[in-house]
Amino acid sequence: MPDILTTAAELKAAIDAGAYADGGPVRILDVRWRLDHPDGRPAYVAGHIPGARYVDLGADLAEHGAPQDGRHPLPSEARFRETVHAWGIDDADTVVVYDDANNLASARAWWLLRHAGIRDVRILDGSLRAWNDAGLPIETGEGRAVERGSATVRYGALRTLGIDDVRSHAETSVLLDARAAERYRGEVEPIDPRAGHIPGAVSAPTTENVGPDGRFLPAAELHERFAGLGARADSPVGVYCGSGVTAAHEAVALVLAGYEPALYAGSWSQWSNHPDLPVRTGARP
């Protein structure tokens, strides 16, 4: 697998050269989204990395179905293929994703593109803050038009868990809950119908995978953290969050640490919408 992370300096050099030295032509995706402020387009228009395309997480990186499907189920393969082609992505390209919140949202684009078979996808480590801190140029407006791409899009490159797989996975391997610890314990639940966590899941807030600068912790530190939570190199590590967005960020951290994650995309928003499924509260898995 090519490098997962790229620095602001590396991205600027690739933009100037038209391609990465160890990759292909650069396509940049701006994935600004937050649970409390899902529309990132105004911020994108106000200033983005030159050449970046705006990605609407809710429209481009998720399907919309019944509550029992979760808040952000994966888009169909056919619809995502159309989206990738509209972004102008070809098979030889290097795709770089970023947001303005420690890559908690853009990691969803990284995971989905990799799952769809796009080989070279990188995350701007430190997100937009790293670019701005380096004093690099910003572009305003709606962005530039691009020619349609022709990248091969076929799901299956990464491991996933469906709702029927989750309970058995938690019984045989580690299942990590990437939400804030208070949501895991069931003390608060701001959006989903039931509070608590999936029985057997271990609390592992994804915000603890980055340092104060928003960059991912070194691989050795991440490995030690996940090993302490029960992760094993010989078994896929299941991961979920509220709706499958920040769980992708934890999946990135797991890959960096040398583990093989399996993403439960439906996550808590799906599980909690099935009254027949068990829920546990408190700090105990």
Side-chain angles (χ1 to χ4, degrees):
M1 181 186 292
D3 291 338
I4 294 175
L5 303 179
T6 188
T7 67
E10 290 168 345
L11 176 56
K12 179 60 165 63
I15 292 172
D16 291 344
Y20 275 86
D22 61 343
V26 186
R27 299 292 183 187
I28 308 171
L29 302 179
D30 183 311
V31 197
R32 278 186 254 191
W33 176 92
R34 299 170 191 254
L35 184 61
D36 60 344
H37 191 72
D39 185 6
R41 185 176 290 278
Y44 165 84
V45 171
H48 54 267
I49 294 175
R53 301 275 296 174
Y54 174 67
V55 173
D56 184 328
L57 187 145
D60 298 333
L61 304 180
E63 204 70 67
H64 298 281
Q68 290 76 20
D69 298 325
R71 283 183 278 116
H72 293 109
L74 301 183
S76 70
E77 183 180 288
R79 194 163 74 80
F80 191 58
R81 180 182 298 110
E82 175 62 26
T83 299
V84 170
H85 290 174
W87 288 335
I89 296 173
D90 295 318
D91 285 327
D93 291 344
T94 296
V95 184
V96 177
V97 301
Y98 73 91
D99 59 37
D100 60 355
N102 297 344
N103 289 307
L104 291 173
S106 62
R108 167 76 170 214
W110 177 91
W111 187 92
L112 194 52
L113 285 163
R114 287 288 301 116
H115 181 55
I118 306 301
R119 182 175 179 274
D120 193 354
V121 189
R122 309 183 189 195
I123 296 173
L124 176 58
D125 200 19
S127 62
L128 186 60
R129 175 168 38 150
W131 183 271
N132 290 332
D133 287 349
L136 296 172
I138 289 294
E139 184 175 75
T140 60
E142 287 290 350
R144 312 170 193 174
V146 297
E147 294 183 7
R148 276 184 67 83
S150 59
T152 304
V153 174
R154 187 174 299 114
Y155 283 171
L158 300 181
R159 289 182 179 269
T160 61
L161 293 173
I163 191 169
D164 295 332
D165 306 320
V166 175
R167 193 182 308 186
S168 61
H169 181 95
E171 292 172 352
T172 60
S173 187
V174 67
L175 177 65
L176 301 180
D177 184 320
R179 297 173 300 160
E182 59 270 23
R183 287 187 72 189
Y184 170 89
R185 294 191 297 266
E187 296 165 3
V188 297
E189 182 44 64
I191 193 165
D192 292 317
R194 292 192 287 168
H197 59 269
I198 297 172
V202 177
S203 179
T206 199
T207 51
E208 296 179 14
N209 294 323
V210 298
D213 58 359
R215 289 178 167 85
F216 282 94
L217 298 176
E221 292 184 28
L222 290 172
H223 184 90
E224 183 178 6
R225 180 189 185 218
F226 292 127
L229 294 171
R232 305 194 311 269
D234 61 350
S235 177
V237 181
V239 60
Y240 75 93
C241 61
S243 67
V245 175
T246 56
H249 187 274
E250 187 123 299
V252 171
L254 284 160
V255 173
L256 291 170
Y259 296 99
E260 186 174 4
L263 181 73
Y264 172 32
S267 284
W268 184 248
S269 61
Q270 181 183 43
W271 186 275
S272 62
N273 267 292
H274 287 260
D276 56 311
L277 295 175
V279 166
R280 180 164 291 161
T281 57
R284 185 171 64 90

